[in-house]
Amino acid sequence: MLIRKVGWLLLVSVLLGAALLLALWRGWLDVAPRFNPWAPLDVRDAPNLLTAVKVWRLSEDRALCDLALATTDLRFTRLPDSTPQPGCPLRNAVRVQGGRVGLSSSFMATCPLAVSFALFERHGLQPAAQRVFGQPVSRVEHVGSFACRSIAGSQRPSQHSYANALDLVGFRLRDGRRISVLHDWSGDGDNARFLRLVQDAACERFNITLGPDYNAAHRDHFHLDMGMWRMCR
C-alpha cells in the first residue's frame, strides 16, 4: 500500500512538473525571464540554477547565443565555421577582443565559452577582487584558447582543439598590481586568497576548472573549459 502511494505521488509530481514547464514554454505563466528556462540568458542577471541550462542551449542556437552576447560587455567578432587544422573544427565561435576588463590578447571561443567567461568576469572575478583588494581587475592575462592537440598523455582531443577552453595565467588590478598563478598560488596572503576565490568562481561558471593543485602541468595557470564532464580541481 505504501509503495502504491509513493508511486502515485511520484507520478503526480512528474505531471505537475511537466505542466509547469509547458506553461512556461507557452507563456501562460508570467515569471521573470531569469526564472524561465526558455527565456534568453541575460548575463547581467545574478546566476541561478537555470543559468547552466541556458548556457548549454547556446551551443546549437546561434540566435540565442547572439542575444546572450548582447547582454555582455564583451567586444567580439563573429567567426565563420571553419576547420583551421584537420580534426579541429570551429563551430559557432567568436573572437573575444576585451570588454569591461582588458585582455592580454584577443582569443577565439565557442559561444558557451565566451558567455561563461563574461559570467565569470562579472559575477566571480570582479567580486573576488573587490572583496580582497577593494578594487577591480583591469586586465586578464591568458595563454590562448585554440590549439589543435590531444590531452597530455592521452589520445583524446583537448577542448582547446575546438576553442572551447581558455588558460588564465594572471590578473592585473586597477592600481597596477599583478597576481600570478605561478608565483602567488602558494601561501596564505591576499594574492593566494584571491586566486582561490577566483578558482571557486571559475568552478561555478565552467564545466571543468583545473588549477595548480591538479598536477604539475597546471602549476602556472587555470584551465577552464566547457566540455561534457564536470570537474573542479
Side-chain angles (χ1 to χ4, degrees):
M1 194 68 175
L2 178 60
I3 294 177
R4 181 177 297 179
K5 287 183 178 180
V6 171
W8 276 109
L9 286 173
L10 289 174
L11 177 60
V12 170
S13 298
V14 169
L15 291 175
L16 287 174
L20 177 60
L21 290 174
L22 177 63
L24 289 171
W25 177 55
R26 297 299 296 269
W28 297 336
L29 287 179
D30 185 18
V31 299
R34 65 182 182 277
F35 298 123
N36 183 342
W38 284 279
L41 174 65
D42 190 327
V43 169
R44 295 165 295 191
D45 290 337
N48 59 34
L49 292 176
L50 293 176
T51 302
V53 175
K54 293 187 176 190
V55 171
W56 172 75
R57 293 179 63 207
L58 302 179
S59 60
E60 300 298 332
D61 193 326
R62 298 180 191 220
L64 204 59
C65 168
D66 289 339
L67 289 174
L69 286 170
T71 70
T72 74
D73 297 310
L74 296 179
R75 298 191 309 276
F76 65 92
T77 303
R78 263 278 174 200
L79 298 175
D81 288 353
S82 64
T83 305
Q85 298 181 44
C88 294
L90 295 179
R91 301 288 183 267
N92 190 16
V94 298
R95 178 169 288 280
V96 178
Q97 297 152 322
R100 183 174 60 171
V101 65
L103 298 172
S104 53
S105 64
S106 66
F107 63 87
M108 292 187 291
T110 60
C111 177
L113 179 66
V115 171
S116 293
F117 177 78
L119 285 164
F120 160 73
E121 187 268 332
R122 175 181 285 270
H123 301 290
L125 178 64
Q126 298 297 3
Q130 289 290 349
R131 177 176 171 182
V132 177
F133 303 111
Q135 60 179 305
V137 169
S138 63
R139 183 181 178 90
V140 172
E141 299 177 358
H142 69 89
V143 288
S145 57
F146 177 73
C148 190
R149 60 176 176 80
S150 298
I151 297 172
S154 80
Q155 298 299 313
R156 291 183 293 136
S158 166
Q159 290 298 314
H160 284 290
S161 297
Y162 316 114
N164 204 32
L166 180 65
D167 291 340
L168 306 184
V169 297
F171 309 91
R172 193 170 294 278
L173 302 178
R174 184 174 58 190
D175 67 3
R177 180 174 183 173
R178 182 176 183 270
I179 297 96
S180 161
V181 176
L182 176 62
H183 298 294
D184 296 316
W185 176 260
S186 300
D188 54 7
D190 284 347
N191 288 5
R193 184 159 65 96
F194 167 71
L195 289 175
R196 279 160 176 75
L197 289 174
V198 169
Q199 185 181 42
D200 290 343
C203 289
E204 293 290 327
R205 302 277 67 90
F206 299 93
N207 288 350
I208 290 183
T209 297
L210 304 177
D213 288 341
Y214 180 59
N215 62 19
H218 293 81
R219 68 188 182 281
D220 60 353
H221 69 279
F222 293 133
H223 168 91
L224 317 172
D225 79 49
M226 297 303 294
M228 294 290 292
W229 309 107
R230 295 285 301 182
M231 184 184 297
C232 174
R233 296 281 297 276

